[in-house]
Amino acid sequence: MENTGTNQPIVWPGDAAEFALTLHDTPDPYFDRAPVPVLAYDPGASLRDRREAFREVYAAIVARIGEPTLYGGSAEGPNIRWRDSRRVVLLAGNRHRAQLSVHDTDTLENDERRIFDWGGAWSADEQHDFAFLPYVWQLDRSGPGVRPIERPGGRMASSLEHFQSALELLLTAWVEQLSVQVGGDWASFSVTSGADRGRQLQISYALEDGLHVSVDDRDGEDSPERAGLMRSRGWQSRDRGWWQTDFAEPERPEVAAVARLAVTELRARGTKEPEELRARDVSCKDRGELWLPGLGIRH
C-alpha cells in the first residue's frame, strides 16, 4: 500500500478490485477486521473532486466483481453493498477516505437497525444525527446478490430546521455519490404538505442537469409583485406557473441554498412541522426502488 498524495489511491484501483474479489469470494479470514483504506481525500476537496477521485476505484471494483446488490451512501460518503444472506462486502467512505470491508450480514444489519430505531432527536432542542446514519439513501435495482427482506425505519426530523439539515445532507450526498454509481440517471422526489394540500415541491439531481428545485405556483398571480416576492425567497424563474431554481454544477453552498429555499417556501405556505410533510414519487429514473431513510420525512 502506498499513500500517493491528495485525492489519490492508497491502493491502486486494480489492487483494490482484487482485494474486493477476495472479500467477495473468500470472506472468512476477513470478518471482524478493520476496513482497508483504498482512497484518501484532501480535507478541502470539493464534491466534484471527491466524486471523480472515487470514480476510478469504484469502476475497477465493479469491473472485477460486478454491479452491487445495493447502491447508496451516507452523509459522510458512499455506502455500496455486495450482499447475500451470509456476508456483505462494503465499499464505504467518510470525510477522509474510502475503504473496503466484509461483514456478517445479520450482525451488520442488526447493528444498523438499532441505530435507526434508537437514535435521533426527540425534540427540536436536541441535536439531530442524520450525519451519523449508516446511509441516507439506498437504491435497489435487483442486481446480483440477495436483498434484505426488511429495511429499518427512516429517521424522522423533529423540526423544520432538522428537516432542512437532513435535506442538505441528502442532496450533498447525491451530488458527490450518485453519478458514480448510476451514471447519468436522475434521482428525484416531490414534497407535499398537509398544510397546503395538492401542491408539489419537486427536487431532482443528475450530473448533466445539475440540481433542480421547483414549486407549483399556477394558482399564484402572474404579476411583478408576486415575482418580486418569489425572487426574494430565492426562486430564479417562472415557467408555465412553476417557479424554479437550478444550479448546473452545485457544490456545498448551492446545495445549502436549495435546502434553505425549499424550507422557506414550505413555511411561507403554512407548514409548521415536518410531520405535515410527505415525500412522493421517489425515483431514480424509474428503475428500481429508491429509499431515503435520511430525508427526515415519511415516504
Side-chain angles (χ1 to χ4, degrees):
M1 297 182 187
E2 180 184 2
N3 191 332
T4 53
T6 299
N7 284 347
Q8 294 292 325
I10 296 174
V11 176
W12 293 111
D15 295 332
E18 288 302 316
F19 183 55
L21 181 65
T22 299
L23 299 181
H24 187 274
D25 289 354
T26 54
D28 287 3
Y30 300 94
F31 285 127
D32 300 321
R33 289 195 182 183
V36 173
V38 295
L39 179 68
Y41 296 118
D42 173 14
S46 67
L47 298 178
R48 178 179 180 177
D49 289 343
R50 288 169 60 91
R51 181 176 70 220
E52 297 311 314
F54 183 73
R55 190 183 298 277
E56 187 177 0
V57 173
Y58 176 70
I61 292 172
V62 168
R64 195 71 181 92
I65 66 174
E67 291 292 329
T69 313
L70 298 168
Y71 306 88
S74 72
E76 292 278 295
N79 189 292
I80 303 163
R81 301 173 181 223
W82 290 261
R83 180 194 186 279
D84 63 22
S85 58
R86 179 168 172 263
R87 60 98 183 102
V88 176
V89 176
L90 183 62
L91 175 60
N94 57 32
R95 296 297 180 193
H96 309 291
R97 63 186 64 86
Q99 49 200 20
L100 276 165
S101 57
V102 66
H103 305 265
D104 175 81
T105 300
D106 288 342
T107 301
L108 175 65
E109 293 180 354
N110 286 338
D111 288 346
E112 291 178 339
R113 190 170 290 108
R114 282 191 287 271
I115 293 172
F116 279 107
D117 287 348
W118 298 107
W122 294 98
S123 72
D125 296 330
E126 297 181 29
Q127 282 281 82
H128 66 76
D129 66 349
F130 294 103
F132 305 107
L133 292 176
Y135 42 91
V136 296
W137 70 278
Q138 196 170 78
L139 174 63
D140 178 357
R141 283 186 161 173
S142 300
V146 179
R147 53 220 31 85
I149 296 173
E150 180 184 359
R151 299 184 190 273
R155 173 71 74 251
M156 295 296 104
S158 295
S159 67
L160 289 179
E161 290 83 3
H162 287 184
F163 170 60
Q164 182 175 323
S165 295
L167 178 58
E168 182 177 342
L169 290 170
L170 171 66
L171 296 179
T172 301
W174 275 4
V175 171
E176 178 187 337
Q177 302 159 18
L178 190 72
S179 70
V180 174
Q181 300 179 47
V182 301
D185 291 358
W186 49 263
S188 70
F189 58 92
S190 297
V191 178
T192 61
S193 173
D196 188 24
R197 294 188 183 279
R199 193 179 312 280
Q200 293 187 28
L201 188 149
Q202 297 180 345
I203 298 173
S204 65
Y205 174 74
L207 184 62
E208 274 192 24
D209 302 327
L211 189 56
H212 168 88
V213 58
S214 60
V215 66
D216 184 354
D217 193 51
R218 286 173 293 181
D219 58 345
E221 293 181 5
D222 185 7
S223 67
E225 293 77 16
R226 180 69 174 174
L229 173 64
M230 297 300 282
R231 291 183 191 280
S232 73
R233 294 177 186 166
W235 297 105
Q236 295 173 346
S237 61
R238 189 173 192 262
D239 180 25
R240 288 169 289 185
W242 287 74
W243 279 95
Q244 55 196 22
T245 292
D246 295 278
F247 295 107
E249 296 183 0
E251 284 290 338
R252 290 179 178 86
E254 291 77 21
V255 173
V258 167
R260 186 167 56 250
L261 170 58
V263 172
T264 296
E265 189 66 26
L266 290 167
R267 285 186 187 278
R269 296 180 184 272
T271 300
K272 294 181 172 60
E273 301 292 341
E275 288 83 358
E276 300 172 273
L277 301 177
R278 295 291 184 274
R280 312 283 189 187
D281 304 319
V282 179
S283 178
C284 186
K285 203 180 179 180
D286 299 327
R287 284 187 55 212
E289 180 187 357
L290 177 61
W291 186 48
L292 308 178
L295 182 56
I297 59 176
R298 291 180 176 83
H299 68 285

